[in-house]
Amino acid sequence: MGSTSDKAAGLGNQAAGNVKQGLGKAVGNDRLRGEGAAQETKGKAQKAVGDAKATAKKATDKAASAIKKNL
């Protein structure tokens, strides 16, 4: 996955996790709350991977640009 798709998937999982937690809390379902918390954590990790990929790409692009400029 690219950085944008990782970030989007992460945000989607975070949102779905929040909804599951809220639903679980509303109906008193601890299992659903736990699943929601796990999904939210997964989303945060996915978003962090996307952010790291974007940072690495920017650094690589900047280094390549500097090298081209010196040629």
Side-chain angles (χ1 to χ4, degrees):
M1 280 188 179
S3 65
T4 303
S5 58
D6 283 327
K7 289 180 190 180
L11 290 172
N13 275 319
Q14 282 181 297
N18 277 329
V19 170
K20 280 185 181 180
Q21 287 181 76
L23 215 71
K25 187 175 182 178
V27 297
N29 186 326
D30 289 337
R31 192 190 67 139
L32 192 57
R33 288 175 70 185
E35 286 177 8
Q39 190 168 4
E40 183 179 5
T41 300
K42 177 183 175 182
K44 287 178 181 179
Q46 282 178 313
K47 186 176 177 308
V49 167
D51 290 341
K53 283 182 181 180
T55 300
K57 183 175 180 348
K58 285 180 188 177
T60 303
D61 290 347
K62 187 175 180 179
S65 179
I67 291 169
K68 287 179 185 178
K69 188 175 181 180
N70 290 329
L71 294 178

